[in-house]
Amino acid sequence: MRQNKIIAGTMTWGKWGKNLSQTEMSKRIEQWVEIGVNVFDHADIYGDYTTEADFGNALKKSSIKAEELELITKCGIQMTTGRNNKVKHYDYKASYIISSLEQSLKNLQVENIDTFLLHRPSPLMNAEEIAKAIEHLKGQGKIKSFGVSNFLPHQIKLLERYIPVEANQIQFSVDHLDPMYNGVLDDCQLNGREAMSWSPLGAYFKEDGSEKMNKIRETIRELAAVYGVEEEVLVISFILKHPAGVCPVVGTTDFNRLSILKKALSFEWPDEDWFVILESSVGRRVP
Ligand SMILES: NC(=O)c1ccc[n+]([C@@H]2O[C@H](COP(=O)([O-])OP(=O)(O)OC[C@H]3O[C@@H](n4cnc5c(N)ncnc54)[C@H](OP(=O)(O)O)[C@@H]3O)[C@@H](O)[C@H]2O)c1
């Protein structure tokens, strides 16, 4: 189980963001691995179902071997862009899970996926059928571990009636604290489940002029100046301090920014200041 490891998110590497060329992607894969970031987070849908294949081609052209990487990917979202669906929906039929994973392997040009996630819970998911599909893929050596994303503990419990769930990737950041209070991070600790957080910077660097974000920024800016670190180090360090051992899935495509974020792994600071930041986010003192 990964703990407090920086994971590289690829959602905006391709068509959904920076539109990196093959050469630019290859260079980033090499640079990321060079500084020890070798876990890459994908989903079939990124770039309207195109980014996995772009990454796979870039990996092939790079000096890095697929075995040096750990790959995460997800399945289950049926989009209306990139596919001829009437409405965005979720599909967790066994045949679809299996064909989606096989397509991801083809796109990424690898033999297996380290961690395969169900992207979002569906009201129509049949836990027993999902388990059969996952067991089949595990039996064939096509996936090493199985997890979920955006699931609440009771939804995981339903799946776990039939199959172990090894990871949950959820939204968690200084301005999005739900997983600390809705049982998700407790569930990860109780059951030895890997916790990954997507959008770990939240709206910190986005155009969000709300009173809450301004207060968080003001507090973090002051503390960062006292400690002599970049603000983003504190933003990431805030989630790393949680005892669930959360792995931030960082989305930057910029090597210098990635190097700064990595500093959070070794940054030590007092718990009391963690509560100062917490207070700025929730807008009141702890009871
Ligand atoms: N499971 C799910 O449902 C789900 C949902 C959303 C995302 N994800 C995963 O989570 C990953 C990360 O999501 P995210 O992109 O929202 O994460 P993030 O790391 O919170 O945000 C990254 C974005 O912030 C920008 N940014 C601005 N200033 C920055 C700074 N100083 N340092 C670092 N980044 C800065 C980056 O732009 P530059 O590239 O220009 O640096 C990038 O666009 C995705 O790639 C995806 O793999 C999963």
Side-chain angles (χ1 to χ4, degrees):
M1 184 177 95
R2 300 178 204 98
Q3 282 229 316
N4 285 148
K5 199 164 176 174
I6 298 276
I7 296 174
T10 60
M11 186 175 70
T12 61
W13 283 39
K15 192 179 158 192
W16 278 4
K18 296 291 194 303
N19 262 313
L20 299 177
S21 68
Q22 189 180 89
T23 315
E24 289 168 330
M25 266 197 204
S26 301
K27 186 175 161 204
R28 278 164 183 74
I29 296 169
E30 288 164 3
Q31 288 177 316
W32 269 224
V33 171
E34 174 89 31
I35 61 162
V37 179
N38 70 332
V39 188
F40 289 83
D41 181 70
H42 288 269
D44 57 340
I45 58 170
Y46 292 166
D48 296 336
Y49 304 94
T50 64
T51 303
E52 280 183 332
D54 290 343
F55 185 96
N57 288 330
L59 175 60
K60 205 84 198 164
K61 291 275 172 199
S62 76
S63 61
I64 304 297
K65 293 196 174 55
E67 306 79 70
E68 293 174 65
L69 305 187
E70 282 179 45
L71 296 174
I72 300 166
T73 197
K74 319 182 189 83
C75 77
I77 301 183
Q78 287 276 17
M79 313 264 296
T80 51
T81 45
R83 273 191 191 166
N84 206 11
N85 289 316
K86 187 163 44 172
V87 67
K88 186 177 179 190
H89 63 283
Y90 306 131
D91 190 344
Y92 291 118
K93 284 193 280 304
S95 57
Y96 182 72
I97 293 173
I98 292 168
S99 67
S100 182
L101 185 277
E102 283 171 350
Q103 187 59 49
S104 292
L105 294 179
K106 229 179 258 173
N107 291 342
L108 292 161
Q109 302 181 43
V110 294
E111 304 278 303
N112 51 53
I113 292 293
D114 290 277
T115 310
F116 187 43
L117 309 177
L118 306 184
H119 208 147
R120 287 190 176 272
S122 167
L124 297 186
M125 67 188 177
N126 179 316
E128 194 173 4
E129 183 174 354
I130 290 170
K132 279 191 185 139
I134 298 301
E135 270 163 15
H136 171 79
L137 292 170
K138 276 194 167 177
Q140 291 193 320
K142 291 180 177 168
I143 58 175
K144 293 185 188 164
S145 70
F146 165 66
V148 294
S149 183
N150 304 301
F151 273 54
L152 290 166
H154 64 275
Q155 295 162 329
I156 295 180
K157 204 169 167 191
L158 172 63
L159 282 176
E160 286 216 307
R161 188 163 170 215
Y162 304 99
I163 190 147
V165 174
E166 293 156 90
N168 193 6
Q169 186 180 115
I170 39 90
Q171 184 180 11
F172 177 43
S173 57
V174 65
D175 58 328
H176 188 92
L177 301 171
D178 293 3
M180 294 200 312
Y181 302 115
N182 64 12
V184 163
L185 290 175
D186 300 326
D187 164 74
C188 286
Q189 289 178 88
L190 266 171
N191 297 294
R193 231 184 295 290
E194 177 178 334
M196 295 176 244
S197 119
W198 58 266
S199 291
L201 295 172
Y204 198 87
F205 295 107
K206 293 194 178 130
E207 278 179 35
D208 178 336
S210 64
E211 198 183 323
K212 170 177 160 172
M213 266 330 293
N214 286 337
K215 184 72 195 147
I216 292 171
R217 289 191 193 102
E218 187 190 323
T219 307
I220 288 191
R221 207 170 291 138
E222 275 172 23
L223 285 171
V226 172
Y227 296 137
V229 291
E230 292 83 353
E231 291 162 47
E232 49 271 49
V233 172
L234 269 183
V235 177
I236 295 294
S237 193
F238 179 85
I239 58 176
L240 292 176
K241 249 192 192 293
H242 193 281
V246 177
C247 296
V249 187
V250 304
T252 187
T253 50
D254 181 294
F255 182 66
N256 292 329
R257 285 179 172 171
L258 179 73
S259 308
I260 292 170
L261 297 178
K262 263 208 80 195
K263 290 190 205 170
L265 293 175
S266 53
F267 181 63
E268 308 261 348
W269 53 301
D271 289 359
E272 199 176 346
D273 281 342
W274 185 91
F275 282 94
V276 172
I277 297 177
L278 178 74
E279 193 178 285
S280 74
S281 179
V282 297
R284 54 181 159 72
R285 304 217 152 157
V286 292

